[in-house]
Structure formats: structure tokens, C-alpha cells
Amino acid sequence: MPTCKDYGIFYPVEVKIKFVASGNVTSPRGFSAGATYVGIKRKAKDVLDLGILLSKAPCTATGLFTTNRIKAAPVVLSQQRLRAGKASAVVVNSGCANAFTGAQGLTDAAEMVELAAKKLRVSPEDVLAASTGVIGQHLPMKLIKAGIKKVVVSRDGGHELARAMMTTDTVPKEAAVAVKVDDIKFTIGGVTKGAGMIHPDLATLLCFLTTDAAVGIDFLKFALRKATDVSFDMISVDGDTSPSDMVIIMANGLAGNKPISHGSREADAFQQALSQLCVYLAKCVVRDGEGATKLVEVTVSGALSAAEARLAARTIISSPLVKAAFHGADPNWGRIVAAVGRSGVEIVESKIDLRIGNLCVVKAGCPLSFDKQELISTLRSDEVVINLKLNLGIGAATAWGCDLSEEYVTINSQYLT
């Protein structure tokens, strides 16, 4: 498993963070989950399409949502619910996004929440909703009503929930980290989904994060934003952002600690662990991008600001030409500098350094002679690392993406057929 050092994330407090073996969203104390198949998605072996996540104790909660102007009904509902800063459950379905469905979509999302709340014996105001799948189709409420009654939540149900959220994903995406700082121990778990319509600004994904730490709402909002900035906001598969995106975090306080707030030693530890977990999950998303055969990491350093470094890295990782070259192991490194040139960030051509893997191809703006076959071999790897130095300032950022394959076109030209 990776460590926080692997992501260049450093904090002044020495903490112990360890990935939990087979960890998932129910690894923190007090969380349970379950899922079932109701028939929204096509029937297949082991397929699930409706799930529930529950905390046995009330949670402090917050979330971040899609930047798309078209917002799915569950996004609208969950945004409204989270204004109170609390939640205790999430009900989620795959196969139908309940997006661009008008007033009926909002009614259906509210009914789905009511049904889940009744089953769980909690207030509907404490239940959030999420949907992912085809846009412009109404939820099959008869199937959902029957399915919610069948869901059995348990401490071991986190893996089922991860499968129930999948659409074109080929593998479930989940993890958890155990944290110790001084005498305080807590766990943060997470589950996410996403493979297509993935682009920076939350990408196209659902992510639910849980923790048994007690966390003040102001710091929880800050920590989620900061963790998302270096993770889900820095990935891209295809440049599209859906109406369904959301990242939710719930903290139930069952670790028994004093609520974590800004400036405390525990705050540094919590931020470090949450950021590490979110980066891991974000990389899982792009590694499983539709039709992807490799993970691509782009680090831009020496920019005038962190914002400019982020923009440059995201532009490179989102470029169809760059992504196609990666897929074919084409040593056409000029596409990388062309992408940063159109990104809008400040550059001086004569100061640019470019390294692909261990191979330096540009130094101080001058193309270097290199072994073409060595570069091709590097680009054929399962993971390709790009380092671009602008040498103008101290701004730096890393983005992750994948290659663009023929399989991506096949998947998205036959999505409904």
C-alpha cells in the first residue's frame, strides 16, 4: 500500500497511518452497509444495483457536488439535506442517474429517501440519496421500493455497497486507513465509483467517506475540500463531467475523541489521512477508466503558482492527443509541451524541462537526443510518469489520468444498446 510520502503530502505532526487489510467504507466503528439486485441494470452474475450505508450514531456530515449546471435530483436533495451539517445514512442506486428528470425526478429521489428512512428507522432528513447511470430516465420506483425492503445492512456489507455503485466500472474501489496520533485512534473508510465521464472538478463519480472520529463541521468541510483538491479534482478520463457527482463524508464520533477542530494536532493527522485515502481512491478511478490500459501521472513543477501548476497538469492529462499517444506508446513528446502551451499558464520555452519516466527528452527548452526504443518501452508500461518543470516559480501539482483506447469508443457508442 502507498504512504503519504508517495503523494508528496507532508504535515508537521508525526502520525501513524496504515491502510487496513480489505478495508472499506464500513471499517470505521458504527458503520454498516448492504446491497441487493432489483433489476435496474441488466442481469449478470453477482450484479447489484441498490445499496444502503448506515451509521448507528448520528453523524456530522458534509459534501461536495458536481459543477455541471444540470444537477441530478439526488444531488439537489442531498445538497439540501446537508445544509444542516448532519446525516446518518445514504441510499444509492446504479443503472439510472435520475438526472434531467424534472419534478418527477425530485419526487422519486425524495420517495427513495423516505423508503430507506422507514426501513432504517431514522428521520428522512438524515438520509442522503445518490444515483448513477443513464441520464434522462426515471427511476423504476416499484423495483426500488421492493428492493429497499430486501437490503440487509451489516458490518461486512461495505464490499456489497461498492459493487452496487458500479456502472461501467470493472472492479469495486474501496479502502480504509487506520490512524494513531498521540493516544487517539480512529479510522477513515471510503468507497467510490467511476470509469467514464471522468474529468477534474469532482470527476464523474460517487464517493462516500466515513470516519469514527469526532470532527467539528467547520473543520470537516475544510478537510474534505483540501483532500478533494489534491485527489478527485486532479483526475481525468475523457473530459466529461456528469450531473451526478458527489463526495460525501460522515463522522460519527464513536472513536470517543474530542471533536477535531482547526489548529489541533489531531487536525493535521486527520487531514493527512483523509488526503492520502482520497488520492488512493482517485487513482483507482482513473486506473479503471473506460478502455484504459495504463495509469498516467503528470507532475508540473516550477510554475508561478500552485493554481497554474494545477491548470497545466490537468490540461496535459486531459488532452486527447496526449492520451492517444500514450495508448499507442508513440514517442511523440511534442504533444505534451503543446498541451501546456495552450493551457493558459505562464511559460518561457527556453526554461522548460521534460522527463518521461527516467528519460529526459527536453532540457532548458532544447530537445535532447535519446533512445527512441527506450521511450517506447517506457510508454508501454502499466504506469507512465511525466515530470514537466517550468522553472519559473515554486508552484507544483500532480494530476492522474489514463490512455485513450479503441475500447473507450466501443463502450460509449453502445452504452444503451
Side-chain angles (χ1 to χ4, degrees):
M1 280 290 189
T3 66
C4 49
K5 184 179 179 181
D6 295 328
Y7 302 130
I9 301 168
F10 298 99
Y11 294 88
V13 176
E14 286 294 328
V15 300
K16 293 181 179 180
I17 300 174
K18 182 179 179 181
F19 274 81
V20 178
S22 299
N24 62 77
V25 73
T26 58
S27 292
R29 285 163 282 197
F31 286 95
S32 58
T36 189
Y37 175 71
V38 302
I40 307 173
K41 295 193 295 193
R42 294 175 183 175
K43 183 65 176 176
K45 184 180 179 181
D46 298 327
V47 68
L48 300 170
D49 54 13
L50 180 68
I52 292 175
L53 173 65
L54 172 69
S55 172
K56 72 177 184 180
C59 296
T60 300
T62 189
L64 295 168
F65 298 89
T66 182
T67 56
N68 196 311
R69 293 292 184 93
I70 304 296
K71 299 186 187 301
V75 167
V76 175
L77 181 145
S78 295
Q79 283 181 308
Q80 293 172 345
R81 293 284 196 274
L82 284 173
R83 288 172 185 165
K86 60 188 183 71
S88 59
V90 181
V91 56
V92 56
N93 74 273
S94 58
C96 175
N98 191 11
F100 209 76
T101 48
Q104 185 60 51
L106 293 170
T107 299
D108 291 342
E111 183 181 0
M112 187 163 77
V113 161
E114 292 277 354
L115 292 168
K118 182 177 180 180
K119 177 185 178 62
L120 301 173
R121 297 181 180 179
V122 299
S123 168
E125 296 301 315
D126 291 333
V127 181
L128 309 177
S131 298
T132 181
V134 179
I135 297 169
Q137 295 183 357
H138 292 288
L139 287 173
M141 292 309 298
K142 289 184 179 180
L143 296 178
I144 287 177
K145 184 174 183 179
I148 286 176
K149 293 179 181 179
K150 294 193 301 180
V151 176
V152 177
V153 297
S154 70
R155 183 68 186 274
D156 298 325
H159 300 305
E160 291 184 353
L161 181 69
R163 287 165 49 208
M165 295 165 55
M166 294 167 58
T167 48
T168 56
D169 307 61
T170 64
V171 294
K173 303 166 180 69
E174 52 190 342
V177 290
V179 186
K180 183 178 185 300
V181 53
D182 297 329
D183 294 328
I184 297 173
K185 296 180 180 180
F186 58 86
T187 302
I188 309 175
V191 60
T192 189
K193 65 81 52 184
M197 292 182 75
I198 302 292
H199 189 61
D201 295 326
L202 284 189
T204 299
L205 55 84
L206 302 179
C207 179
F208 308 129
L209 300 160
T210 58
T211 182
D212 48 21
V215 188
I217 186 61
D218 289 341
F219 177 70
L220 192 64
K221 290 179 178 179
F222 173 85
L224 181 62
R225 178 72 271 176
K226 190 170 183 178
T228 302
D229 279 347
V230 297
S231 58
F232 298 117
D233 278 356
M234 296 301 291
I235 60 175
S236 184
V237 169
D238 50 19
D240 273 300
T241 301
S242 92
S244 303
D245 308 344
M246 65 174 70
V247 179
I248 304 295
I249 186 167
M250 300 192 296
N252 65 18
L254 292 181
N257 61 293
K258 179 182 177 181
I260 298 172
S261 59
H262 287 280
S264 66
R265 288 173 58 84
E266 295 80 16
D268 287 327
F270 186 86
Q271 185 70 74
Q272 182 176 349
L274 181 62
S275 295
Q276 184 177 346
L277 177 63
C278 286
V279 167
Y280 177 81
L281 292 172
K283 290 174 70 175
C284 287
V285 170
V286 288
R287 192 186 297 274
D288 190 36
E290 289 176 343
T293 66
K294 62 193 68 181
L295 174 72
V296 182
E297 178 179 287
V298 174
T299 296
V300 174
S301 60
L304 288 180
S305 66
E308 291 219 340
R310 286 168 62 88
L311 177 57
R314 297 192 332 173
T315 301
I316 294 168
I317 212 69
S318 304
S319 166
L321 285 177
V322 172
K323 292 158 66 65
F326 287 151
H327 179 67
D330 184 358
N332 193 351
W333 58 263
R335 292 180 176 180
I336 298 172
V337 295
V340 75
R342 70 172 171 81
S343 68
V345 307
E346 187 67 30
I347 64 169
V348 175
E349 184 176 330
S350 61
K351 293 188 176 183
I352 292 175
D353 299 334
L354 175 62
R355 181 176 293 273
I356 303 175
N358 294 320
L359 199 61
C360 185
V361 298
V362 175
K363 184 67 176 177
C366 295
L368 302 179
S369 297
F370 58 86
D371 187 328
K372 183 178 178 180
Q373 287 305 126
E374 183 180 350
L375 181 53
I376 291 173
S377 179
T378 297
L379 293 173
R380 284 176 176 164
S381 302
D382 293 338
E383 295 190 16
V384 178
V385 177
I386 310 298
N387 283 285
L388 181 74
K389 294 183 178 180
L390 299 181
N391 294 309
L392 297 175
I394 61 172
T398 300
W400 297 271
C402 58
D403 56 330
L404 180 62
S405 70
E406 298 90 335
E407 182 64 17
Y408 176 86
V409 177
T410 299
I411 291 170
N412 285 284
S413 63
Q414 301 174 1
Y415 199 86
L416 294 180
T417 56

mmCIF file of all heavy atoms in Angstrom, residues 37-71:
data_model
loop_
_atom_site.group_PDB
_atom_site.id
_atom_site.type_symbol
_atom_site.label_atom_id
_atom_site.label_comp_id
_atom_site.label_asym_id
_atom_site.label_seq_id
_atom_site.Cartn_x
_atom_site.Cartn_y
_atom_site.Cartn_z
ATOM 1 N N TYR A 37 -29.945 -6.734 -5.705
ATOM 2 C CA TYR A 37 -30.234 -6.522 -7.120
ATOM 3 C C TYR A 37 -31.736 -6.368 -7.288
ATOM 4 O O TYR A 37 -32.513 -7.215 -6.829
ATOM 5 C CB TYR A 37 -29.747 -7.704 -7.966
ATOM 6 C CG TYR A 37 -30.127 -7.584 -9.430
ATOM 7 C CD1 TYR A 37 -29.502 -6.644 -10.243
ATOM 8 C CD2 TYR A 37 -31.125 -8.380 -9.980
ATOM 9 C CE1 TYR A 37 -29.850 -6.508 -11.577
ATOM 10 C CE2 TYR A 37 -31.486 -8.256 -11.319
ATOM 11 C CZ TYR A 37 -30.848 -7.321 -12.113
ATOM 12 O OH TYR A 37 -31.210 -7.182 -13.431
ATOM 13 N N VAL A 38 -32.150 -5.271 -7.921
ATOM 14 C CA VAL A 38 -33.587 -5.022 -8.089
ATOM 15 C C VAL A 38 -34.018 -5.036 -9.551
ATOM 16 O O VAL A 38 -35.212 -5.045 -9.840
ATOM 17 C CB VAL A 38 -34.003 -3.686 -7.433
ATOM 18 C CG1 VAL A 38 -33.659 -3.681 -5.971
ATOM 19 C CG2 VAL A 38 -33.374 -2.491 -8.150
ATOM 20 N N GLY A 39 -33.047 -4.983 -10.484
ATOM 21 C CA GLY A 39 -33.403 -5.037 -11.893
ATOM 22 C C GLY A 39 -33.242 -3.741 -12.656
ATOM 23 O O GLY A 39 -33.738 -3.622 -13.780
ATOM 24 N N ILE A 40 -32.559 -2.748 -12.072
ATOM 25 C CA ILE A 40 -32.306 -1.504 -12.797
ATOM 26 C C ILE A 40 -31.260 -1.756 -13.889
ATOM 27 O O ILE A 40 -31.406 -1.311 -15.023
ATOM 28 C CB ILE A 40 -31.823 -0.391 -11.847
ATOM 29 C CG1 ILE A 40 -32.792 -0.214 -10.678
ATOM 30 C CG2 ILE A 40 -31.678 0.934 -12.606
ATOM 31 C CD1 ILE A 40 -32.298 0.742 -9.616
ATOM 32 N N LYS A 41 -30.211 -2.469 -13.537
ATOM 33 C CA LYS A 41 -29.189 -2.852 -14.503
ATOM 34 C C LYS A 41 -29.531 -4.213 -15.106
ATOM 35 O O LYS A 41 -30.355 -4.961 -14.583
ATOM 36 C CB LYS A 41 -27.816 -2.913 -13.819
ATOM 37 C CG LYS A 41 -27.317 -1.579 -13.325
ATOM 38 C CD LYS A 41 -25.851 -1.604 -12.954
ATOM 39 C CE LYS A 41 -25.532 -2.486 -11.791
ATOM 40 N NZ LYS A 41 -24.178 -2.262 -11.247
ATOM 41 N N ARG A 42 -28.873 -4.517 -16.210
ATOM 42 C CA ARG A 42 -29.063 -5.811 -16.829
ATOM 43 C C ARG A 42 -28.583 -6.914 -15.890
ATOM 44 O O ARG A 42 -27.564 -6.783 -15.214
ATOM 45 C CB ARG A 42 -28.291 -5.893 -18.143
ATOM 46 C CG ARG A 42 -28.809 -4.948 -19.221
ATOM 47 C CD ARG A 42 -27.915 -4.998 -20.449
ATOM 48 N NE ARG A 42 -28.352 -4.053 -21.468
ATOM 49 C CZ ARG A 42 -27.699 -3.826 -22.596
ATOM 50 N NH1 ARG A 42 -26.553 -4.476 -22.833
ATOM 51 N NH2 ARG A 42 -28.154 -2.954 -23.476
ATOM 52 N N LYS A 43 -29.307 -8.001 -15.878
ATOM 53 C CA LYS A 43 -28.950 -9.118 -15.019
ATOM 54 C C LYS A 43 -27.643 -9.735 -15.470
ATOM 55 O O LYS A 43 -27.412 -9.969 -16.650
ATOM 56 C CB LYS A 43 -30.053 -10.188 -15.050
ATOM 57 C CG LYS A 43 -29.802 -11.375 -14.118
ATOM 58 C CD LYS A 43 -29.802 -10.963 -12.664
ATOM 59 C CE LYS A 43 -29.661 -12.159 -11.735
ATOM 60 N NZ LYS A 43 -29.555 -11.765 -10.313
ATOM 61 N N ALA A 44 -26.748 -9.962 -14.531
ATOM 62 C CA ALA A 44 -25.481 -10.620 -14.792
ATOM 63 C C ALA A 44 -25.025 -11.283 -13.501
ATOM 64 O O ALA A 44 -25.584 -11.044 -12.427
ATOM 65 C CB ALA A 44 -24.436 -9.621 -15.284
ATOM 66 N N LYS A 45 -24.029 -12.117 -13.596
ATOM 67 C CA LYS A 45 -23.545 -12.824 -12.423
ATOM 68 C C LYS A 45 -23.052 -11.843 -11.369
ATOM 69 O O LYS A 45 -22.249 -10.952 -11.644
ATOM 70 C CB LYS A 45 -22.416 -13.777 -12.811
ATOM 71 C CG LYS A 45 -21.913 -14.624 -11.649
ATOM 72 C CD LYS A 45 -20.798 -15.563 -12.091
ATOM 73 C CE LYS A 45 -20.300 -16.390 -10.907
ATOM 74 N NZ LYS A 45 -19.193 -17.294 -11.307
ATOM 75 N N ASP A 46 -23.545 -11.992 -10.160
ATOM 76 C CA ASP A 46 -23.122 -11.206 -8.997
ATOM 77 C C ASP A 46 -23.423 -9.716 -9.120
ATOM 78 O O ASP A 46 -22.863 -8.903 -8.378
ATOM 79 C CB ASP A 46 -21.627 -11.385 -8.735
ATOM 80 C CG ASP A 46 -21.261 -12.824 -8.402
ATOM 81 O OD1 ASP A 46 -22.092 -13.508 -7.779
ATOM 82 O OD2 ASP A 46 -20.167 -13.260 -8.781
ATOM 83 N N VAL A 47 -24.298 -9.303 -10.033
ATOM 84 C CA VAL A 47 -24.589 -7.888 -10.196
ATOM 85 C C VAL A 47 -25.486 -7.390 -9.058
ATOM 86 O O VAL A 47 -26.391 -8.087 -8.598
ATOM 87 C CB VAL A 47 -25.253 -7.602 -11.562
ATOM 88 C CG1 VAL A 47 -26.650 -8.200 -11.637
ATOM 89 C CG2 VAL A 47 -25.320 -6.099 -11.822
ATOM 90 N N LEU A 48 -25.206 -6.174 -8.583
ATOM 91 C CA LEU A 48 -26.005 -5.493 -7.572
ATOM 92 C C LEU A 48 -26.273 -4.078 -8.083
ATOM 93 O O LEU A 48 -25.459 -3.508 -8.805
ATOM 94 C CB LEU A 48 -25.269 -5.430 -6.232
ATOM 95 C CG LEU A 48 -24.879 -6.772 -5.590
ATOM 96 C CD1 LEU A 48 -23.955 -6.548 -4.397
ATOM 97 C CD2 LEU A 48 -26.121 -7.542 -5.160
ATOM 98 N N ASP A 49 -27.416 -3.489 -7.706
ATOM 99 C CA ASP A 49 -27.701 -2.145 -8.213
ATOM 100 C C ASP A 49 -28.409 -1.226 -7.217
ATOM 101 O O ASP A 49 -28.820 -0.128 -7.580
ATOM 102 C CB ASP A 49 -28.497 -2.212 -9.520
ATOM 103 C CG ASP A 49 -29.767 -3.040 -9.417
ATOM 104 O OD1 ASP A 49 -30.182 -3.364 -8.293
ATOM 105 O OD2 ASP A 49 -30.349 -3.370 -10.470
ATOM 106 N N LEU A 50 -28.543 -1.639 -5.962
ATOM 107 C CA LEU A 50 -29.161 -0.789 -4.945
ATOM 108 C C LEU A 50 -28.485 -1.066 -3.614
ATOM 109 O O LEU A 50 -28.381 -2.229 -3.195
ATOM 110 C CB LEU A 50 -30.659 -1.066 -4.840
ATOM 111 C CG LEU A 50 -31.428 -0.232 -3.806
ATOM 112 C CD1 LEU A 50 -31.491 1.234 -4.231
ATOM 113 C CD2 LEU A 50 -32.835 -0.778 -3.617
ATOM 114 N N GLY A 51 -28.013 -0.009 -2.950
ATOM 115 C CA GLY A 51 -27.304 -0.199 -1.693
ATOM 116 C C GLY A 51 -27.637 0.861 -0.669
ATOM 117 O O GLY A 51 -28.158 1.934 -0.994
ATOM 118 N N ILE A 52 -27.315 0.543 0.583
ATOM 119 C CA ILE A 52 -27.550 1.463 1.700
ATOM 120 C C ILE A 52 -26.313 1.483 2.589
ATOM 121 O O ILE A 52 -25.718 0.439 2.871
ATOM 122 C CB ILE A 52 -28.777 1.029 2.536
ATOM 123 C CG1 ILE A 52 -30.066 1.201 1.721
ATOM 124 C CG2 ILE A 52 -28.858 1.834 3.831
ATOM 125 C CD1 ILE A 52 -31.301 0.681 2.427
ATOM 126 N N LEU A 53 -25.934 2.681 3.037
ATOM 127 C CA LEU A 53 -24.868 2.887 4.012
ATOM 128 C C LEU A 53 -25.480 3.527 5.246
ATOM 129 O O LEU A 53 -26.241 4.497 5.129
ATOM 130 C CB LEU A 53 -23.783 3.795 3.425
ATOM 131 C CG LEU A 53 -22.674 4.262 4.360
ATOM 132 C CD1 LEU A 53 -21.828 3.086 4.835
ATOM 133 C CD2 LEU A 53 -21.788 5.299 3.660
ATOM 134 N N LEU A 54 -25.163 3.003 6.445
ATOM 135 C CA LEU A 54 -25.801 3.473 7.671
ATOM 136 C C LEU A 54 -24.790 3.616 8.799
ATOM 137 O O LEU A 54 -23.902 2.777 8.962
ATOM 138 C CB LEU A 54 -26.890 2.477 8.101
ATOM 139 C CG LEU A 54 -27.548 2.711 9.468
ATOM 140 C CD1 LEU A 54 -28.410 3.979 9.452
ATOM 141 C CD2 LEU A 54 -28.381 1.498 9.872
ATOM 142 N N SER A 55 -24.943 4.674 9.579
ATOM 143 C CA SER A 55 -24.212 4.820 10.839
ATOM 144 C C SER A 55 -25.188 4.616 11.993
ATOM 145 O O SER A 55 -26.305 5.153 11.975
ATOM 146 C CB SER A 55 -23.584 6.215 10.956
ATOM 147 O OG SER A 55 -23.044 6.410 12.267
ATOM 148 N N LYS A 56 -24.769 3.844 12.980
ATOM 149 C CA LYS A 56 -25.664 3.603 14.114
ATOM 150 C C LYS A 56 -25.727 4.805 15.049
ATOM 151 O O LYS A 56 -26.580 4.868 15.939
ATOM 152 C CB LYS A 56 -25.228 2.358 14.884
ATOM 153 C CG LYS A 56 -23.962 2.489 15.703
ATOM 154 C CD LYS A 56 -23.691 1.207 16.467
ATOM 155 C CE LYS A 56 -22.483 1.321 17.381
ATOM 156 N NZ LYS A 56 -22.228 0.055 18.117
ATOM 157 N N ALA A 57 -24.841 5.767 14.838
ATOM 158 C CA ALA A 57 -24.856 7.005 15.624
ATOM 159 C C ALA A 57 -24.986 8.186 14.669
ATOM 160 O O ALA A 57 -24.521 8.128 13.532
ATOM 161 C CB ALA A 57 -23.576 7.130 16.446
ATOM 162 N N PRO A 58 -25.632 9.273 15.104
ATOM 163 C CA PRO A 58 -25.759 10.456 14.241
ATOM 164 C C PRO A 58 -24.380 10.965 13.826
ATOM 165 O O PRO A 58 -23.408 10.877 14.580
ATOM 166 C CB PRO A 58 -26.472 11.472 15.140
ATOM 167 C CG PRO A 58 -27.176 10.642 16.168
ATOM 168 C CD PRO A 58 -26.286 9.463 16.412
ATOM 169 N N CYS A 59 -24.302 11.499 12.632
ATOM 170 C CA CYS A 59 -23.011 11.947 12.093
ATOM 171 C C CYS A 59 -23.004 13.435 11.792
ATOM 172 O O CYS A 59 -24.019 14.002 11.351
ATOM 173 C CB CYS A 59 -22.701 11.214 10.790
ATOM 174 S SG CYS A 59 -22.471 9.441 10.938
ATOM 175 N N THR A 60 -21.867 14.049 12.006
ATOM 176 C CA THR A 60 -21.568 15.325 11.372
ATOM 177 C C THR A 60 -21.243 14.999 9.921
ATOM 178 O O THR A 60 -20.516 14.046 9.647
ATOM 179 C CB THR A 60 -20.360 15.993 12.046
ATOM 180 O OG1 THR A 60 -20.661 16.205 13.426
ATOM 181 C CG2 THR A 60 -20.028 17.311 11.378
ATOM 182 N N ALA A 61 -21.786 15.754 8.986
ATOM 183 C CA ALA A 61 -21.617 15.378 7.576
ATOM 184 C C ALA A 61 -21.564 16.605 6.679
ATOM 185 O O ALA A 61 -22.166 17.646 6.975
ATOM 186 C CB ALA A 61 -22.762 14.470 7.137
ATOM 187 N N THR A 62 -20.844 16.440 5.577
ATOM 188 C CA THR A 62 -20.771 17.485 4.564
ATOM 189 C C THR A 62 -20.468 16.824 3.225
ATOM 190 O O THR A 62 -20.180 15.633 3.158
ATOM 191 C CB THR A 62 -19.697 18.539 4.915
ATOM 192 O OG1 THR A 62 -19.807 19.638 4.015
ATOM 193 C CG2 THR A 62 -18.304 17.965 4.831
ATOM 194 N N GLY A 63 -20.542 17.618 2.158
ATOM 195 C CA GLY A 63 -20.310 17.042 0.842
ATOM 196 C C GLY A 63 -19.905 18.088 -0.180
ATOM 197 O O GLY A 63 -20.077 19.297 0.026
ATOM 198 N N LEU A 64 -19.379 17.608 -1.291
ATOM 199 C CA LEU A 64 -19.056 18.432 -2.457
ATOM 200 C C LEU A 64 -19.761 17.824 -3.653
ATOM 201 O O LEU A 64 -19.854 16.596 -3.762
ATOM 202 C CB LEU A 64 -17.547 18.477 -2.684
ATOM 203 C CG LEU A 64 -16.745 19.160 -1.573
ATOM 204 C CD1 LEU A 64 -15.251 18.884 -1.741
ATOM 205 C CD2 LEU A 64 -17.009 20.659 -1.552
ATOM 206 N N PHE A 65 -20.223 18.671 -4.568
ATOM 207 C CA PHE A 65 -21.101 18.189 -5.629
ATOM 208 C C PHE A 65 -20.681 18.692 -7.003
ATOM 209 O O PHE A 65 -19.873 19.608 -7.125
ATOM 210 C CB PHE A 65 -22.543 18.610 -5.336
ATOM 211 C CG PHE A 65 -23.086 18.029 -4.058
ATOM 212 C CD1 PHE A 65 -22.916 18.695 -2.850
ATOM 213 C CD2 PHE A 65 -23.743 16.813 -4.067
ATOM 214 C CE1 PHE A 65 -23.407 18.156 -1.666
ATOM 215 C CE2 PHE A 65 -24.235 16.265 -2.894
ATOM 216 C CZ PHE A 65 -24.065 16.932 -1.688
ATOM 217 N N THR A 66 -21.278 18.097 -8.019
ATOM 218 C CA THR A 66 -20.948 18.386 -9.412
ATOM 219 C C THR A 66 -20.970 19.882 -9.724
ATOM 220 O O THR A 66 -21.779 20.646 -9.180
ATOM 221 C CB THR A 66 -21.923 17.658 -10.348
ATOM 222 O OG1 THR A 66 -21.565 17.912 -11.701
ATOM 223 C CG2 THR A 66 -23.367 18.107 -10.128
ATOM 224 N N THR A 67 -20.077 20.286 -10.622
ATOM 225 C CA THR A 67 -20.081 21.657 -11.128
ATOM 226 C C THR A 67 -20.923 21.773 -12.392
ATOM 227 O O THR A 67 -21.075 22.869 -12.936
ATOM 228 C CB THR A 67 -18.645 22.114 -11.429
ATOM 229 O OG1 THR A 67 -18.037 21.190 -12.345
ATOM 230 C CG2 THR A 67 -17.817 22.178 -10.161
ATOM 231 N N ASN A 68 -21.463 20.654 -12.874
ATOM 232 C CA ASN A 68 -22.350 20.678 -14.039
ATOM 233 C C ASN A 68 -23.604 21.482 -13.717
ATOM 234 O O ASN A 68 -24.180 21.339 -12.630
ATOM 235 C CB ASN A 68 -22.729 19.239 -14.415
ATOM 236 C CG ASN A 68 -23.310 19.124 -15.808
ATOM 237 O OD1 ASN A 68 -24.208 19.874 -16.184
ATOM 238 N ND2 ASN A 68 -22.809 18.170 -16.569
ATOM 239 N N ARG A 69 -24.043 22.339 -14.634
ATOM 240 C CA ARG A 69 -25.249 23.137 -14.403
ATOM 241 C C ARG A 69 -26.507 22.255 -14.382
ATOM 242 O O ARG A 69 -27.540 22.661 -13.846
ATOM 243 C CB ARG A 69 -25.385 24.214 -15.492
ATOM 244 C CG ARG A 69 -24.297 25.279 -15.429
ATOM 245 C CD ARG A 69 -24.428 26.142 -14.182
ATOM 246 N NE ARG A 69 -23.447 27.212 -14.167
ATOM 247 C CZ ARG A 69 -23.665 28.433 -14.629
ATOM 248 N NH1 ARG A 69 -24.837 28.720 -15.168
ATOM 249 N NH2 ARG A 69 -22.721 29.349 -14.569
ATOM 250 N N ILE A 70 -26.434 21.082 -15.018
ATOM 251 C CA ILE A 70 -27.511 20.103 -14.914
ATOM 252 C C ILE A 70 -27.210 19.232 -13.705
ATOM 253 O O ILE A 70 -26.208 18.516 -13.687
ATOM 254 C CB ILE A 70 -27.617 19.219 -16.180
ATOM 255 C CG1 ILE A 70 -27.786 20.084 -17.429
ATOM 256 C CG2 ILE A 70 -28.743 18.213 -16.041
ATOM 257 C CD1 ILE A 70 -29.078 20.877 -17.455
ATOM 258 N N LYS A 71 -28.038 19.312 -12.691
ATOM 259 C CA LYS A 71 -27.787 18.564 -11.458
ATOM 260 C C LYS A 71 -28.855 17.486 -11.282
ATOM 261 O O LYS A 71 -30.050 17.772 -11.335
ATOM 262 C CB LYS A 71 -27.780 19.501 -10.250
ATOM 263 C CG LYS A 71 -26.689 20.568 -10.321
ATOM 264 C CD LYS A 71 -26.631 21.382 -9.054
ATOM 265 C CE LYS A 71 -25.664 22.557 -9.205
ATOM 266 N NZ LYS A 71 -24.294 22.136 -9.523
#
